[in-house]
Amino acid sequence: MTSTETRPTPNDSSSDALPDRRRWFALAIVMTAAFMDLVDVTIVNIALPSIQRADGASLSQIQWITAGYALAFAAGLITGGRLGDIHGRKRVFLIGIGGFTVASALCGFAANPEMLVAARVLQGAMAALMVPQVLSIVHATFPAHERGKVFGLFGAVVGLGAVSGPLLGALLTEWNLFGLEWRPIFLINLPVGLAGLILGSRFITESKAPRALKLDLVGVALVTLGLLMLVYPLTRGRELGWPLWGHASMAGAVVVFGALVAYERRKTVRDGSPLIELSLFKVKSFAAGIAVQTVFGIALGVFFLVWTLYMQIGLGWGPLKAGLTGIPFSIAVSMAAGLSVQKLVPRFGRKVLQAGALIMAAGVLLYLWEADHYGLAIAPWHMALPLVVMGVGMGLIVAPLTDAVLSGVPREHSGSASGLINTVQQMGNALGLGLVSVVFFGVIDEHLSLEETGPAYVNAFQHALGWVAAVMGVIFLLMSALPKRPAQHVEGAEAAGATEGTAERLDRDDASADKADKADKAAEPELVP
């Protein structure tokens, strides 16, 4: 979950004077939007096999249904946050939720796979406008002494979204409401989105930054172009026989990213508002943390897509059975994340994150062994243990990782740093989805009989899990460059009682904002996962 948050200043319009009832109505609305985005990310995976069977989508189209959303979301995150700071968070939030609702309708009524992919890209772009405003609106609406309670609710929403997304997707697909098959997974957003649009226009109070950073649309364009040149050949390469233009495109992506670096340097000198603050990469912990976030996103992008295809196509399970199988994983992630932030990281520091990488790798290897040992006879209860182990490992990483990465970053660059963290994680996810064609589909014959499909998908799943385990080993090594006590940031005393990693950093930013206000400095946008 990502959001852009601008530290409040005396000039920043706030709704502290609002009656409590209206304030909490506004909170319910933005939290519902956040929940809708969280669920939408997880709800689609469980329905992908049904989409492939019902509409004849190709394997690359299946990948782009998820990768297109992630790519558009990543490319627009920082820009979406800055648009809210410049033009008003309420206004941009309403545009985002309205556009997300329209895009959901287009997904639900898509006439073919190509239209569905295009609608998913639009949905991701609208999420990039909507999601960054959530914590910004919270910060502008609630005084500091109330935010602890608010972030507690926010953590509960995140946990609920993680658990309910796959299950809701499974139920909606299994029930085949009105004969619509998989389409209700998107259409369910329509009443929620319309209610959020109507109620948001009434109860959310407008706020904006007094002096926001300028937009770097050229930077966004270069990032998007570079990723497309890299991800598109990966997803289509196997299907097209790995043509020469695909290799040229991937090589050209390196040139585009080089041009991005050169442009960002010039823009930093010209107006001080680049998309990427390149000086941050001089901080060892930040550079390593960006690498961790990117590689971690790749691992998650690979695993969750191949896991769904393995269960439903390889093992022949229905959506409901596959969705229920994932519940132990989601619960383990939520519980381990809370324990990590509250108890373990303050005491053991970086070792907790490294232990999380090793535990998650152990869970992957255990899953790999079970998939090989039981083959097509594997049952959900067999999977419970490796999924719980993986969930515990992931929970130990995801909650404190952002604070660990930001620990060595100068305070004045914390906004652009956290924005970049969230962006590269989403980009890593899109790249991982593209790599599925190599590590999973790349070991499956193009023409399989019905009897051959199951064993082929089981074998491909094992191959992909081997790659995921190797990636977790790389993450463990990269984490050695993180600070030994990432959660005990020298400027983080205010966060000692926070129960969420997000709440910790936002509380620290309150103290930072107070000092900035006294010096009459402008607030700068900040992305917070």
Side-chain angles (χ1 to χ4, degrees):
M1 170 66 195
T2 49
S3 183
T4 300
E5 182 270 322
T6 301
R7 297 190 288 269
T9 71
N11 298 322
D12 200 9
S13 56
S14 177
S15 51
D16 287 351
L18 282 175
D20 283 345
R21 185 186 61 160
R22 186 173 177 186
R23 181 177 302 171
W24 292 99
F25 270 133
L27 176 66
I29 294 162
V30 297
M31 288 298 183
T32 300
F35 178 80
M36 185 166 62
D37 167 68
L38 285 166
V39 169
D40 197 78
V41 172
T42 55
I43 201 174
V44 173
N45 273 347
I46 207 72
L48 286 176
S50 299
I51 295 173
Q52 184 182 27
R53 285 192 296 266
D55 291 72
S58 67
L59 298 179
S60 64
Q61 287 169 337
I62 288 296
Q63 290 174 262
W64 272 104
I65 290 171
T66 49
Y69 181 97
L71 189 59
F73 189 39
L77 269 173
I78 295 177
T79 298
R82 289 183 183 174
L83 284 171
D85 293 334
I86 296 170
H87 299 291
R89 296 150 190 155
K90 173 182 176 179
R91 177 182 300 175
V92 176
F93 174 81
L94 293 178
I95 293 173
I97 196 171
F100 190 88
T101 305
V102 171
S104 297
L106 293 175
C107 288
F109 294 114
N112 51 56
E114 292 81 5
M115 182 177 174
L116 179 57
V117 170
R120 283 286 286 170
V121 172
L122 176 62
Q123 199 178 34
M126 292 299 102
L129 293 180
M130 175 181 70
V131 173
Q133 317 311 323
V134 173
L135 292 185
S136 297
I137 291 172
V138 168
H139 234 230
T141 303
F142 287 85
H145 71 273
E146 291 184 343
R147 289 181 197 140
K149 184 187 298 183
V150 170
F151 291 128
L153 292 172
F154 180 75
V157 168
V158 172
L160 182 61
V163 174
S164 62
L167 183 57
L168 184 59
L171 289 172
L172 290 174
T173 306
E174 190 85 12
W175 288 339
N176 190 21
L177 298 175
F178 309 109
L180 293 174
E181 298 177 324
W182 52 268
R183 299 176 187 275
I185 68 169
F186 297 110
L187 299 179
I188 194 174
N189 290 332
L190 270 60
V192 179
L194 288 173
L197 191 62
I198 295 169
L199 296 175
S201 62
R202 177 178 179 183
F203 291 107
I204 298 175
T205 298
E206 186 62 280
S207 64
K208 60 178 68 174
R211 199 162 67 243
L213 292 175
K214 297 179 181 178
L215 295 177
D216 183 7
L217 296 179
V218 174
V220 172
L222 288 173
V223 167
T224 306
L225 177 62
L227 278 170
L228 280 173
M229 291 174 67
L230 186 60
V231 174
Y232 186 77
L234 284 175
T235 56
R236 295 296 310 277
R238 173 183 174 275
E239 187 179 339
L240 300 176
W242 298 106
L244 179 62
W245 65 261
H247 296 284
S249 177
M250 288 186 282
V254 178
V255 177
V256 172
F257 288 131
L260 171 67
V261 172
Y263 175 79
E264 293 299 290
R265 284 176 178 167
R266 289 198 300 270
K267 187 165 179 61
T268 300
V269 173
R270 187 168 66 247
D271 59 20
S273 58
L275 180 70
I276 301 171
E277 183 62 53
L278 296 176
S279 64
L280 292 171
F281 289 92
K282 296 178 181 178
V283 179
K284 178 183 176 183
S285 61
F286 179 80
I290 285 292
V292 170
Q293 289 279 17
T294 305
V295 177
F296 195 46
I298 291 173
L300 298 183
V302 170
F303 175 75
F304 285 111
L305 179 55
V306 301
W307 184 36
T308 297
L309 297 174
Y310 160 70
M311 288 189 291
Q312 294 192 53
I313 298 180
L315 300 178
W317 294 359
L320 183 58
K321 186 176 181 179
L324 291 172
T325 301
I327 290 180
F329 176 85
S330 299
I331 294 175
V333 171
S334 299
M335 294 181 65
L339 182 65
S340 174
V341 170
Q342 297 177 51
K343 302 292 184 182
L344 298 179
V345 173
R347 183 176 180 183
F348 300 106
R350 181 183 67 198
K351 294 179 181 178
V352 176
L353 285 85
Q354 291 182 299
L358 292 180
I359 291 171
M360 190 168 178
V364 172
L365 291 174
L366 179 58
Y367 207 158
L368 194 159
W369 177 84
E370 289 197 349
D372 179 59
H373 180 73
Y374 293 105
L376 295 174
I378 195 170
W381 68 269
H382 291 137
M383 299 182 185
L385 179 58
L387 287 174
V388 168
V389 174
M390 288 178 62
V392 169
M394 183 174 172
L396 294 178
I397 297 172
V398 293
L401 180 57
T402 300
D403 271 337
V405 179
L406 290 177
S407 293
V409 172
R411 178 181 293 169
E412 63 269 21
H413 293 312
S414 61
S416 55
S418 52
L420 188 56
I421 288 170
N422 291 287
T423 299
V424 298
Q425 186 179 29
Q426 293 296 327
M427 290 178 176
N429 187 262
L431 183 57
L433 290 165
L435 285 170
V436 167
S437 64
V438 178
V439 303
F440 183 74
F441 293 126
V443 296
I444 297 176
D445 291 334
E446 293 186 22
H447 305 289
L448 293 173
S449 66
L450 188 61
E451 294 77 15
E452 295 172 327
T453 298
Y457 272 69
V458 170
N459 177 65
F461 180 62
Q462 296 174 51
H463 185 265
L465 284 185
W467 279 92
V468 174
V471 168
M472 296 313 300
V474 173
I475 291 173
F476 171 80
L477 296 176
L478 290 172
M479 284 177 174
S480 62
L482 297 175
K484 291 184 178 180
R485 295 283 175 180
Q488 301 299 311
H489 195 280
V490 292
E491 297 165 2
E494 295 85 356
T499 58
E500 286 286 330
T502 298
E504 289 181 21
R505 190 166 65 262
L506 288 178
D507 285 344
R508 290 201 300 272
D509 289 343
D510 289 339
S512 175
D514 290 340
K515 294 178 182 178
D517 293 340
K518 294 175 183 178
D520 194 29
K521 293 181 180 179
E524 62 180 28
E526 177 169 357
L527 281 156
V528 180

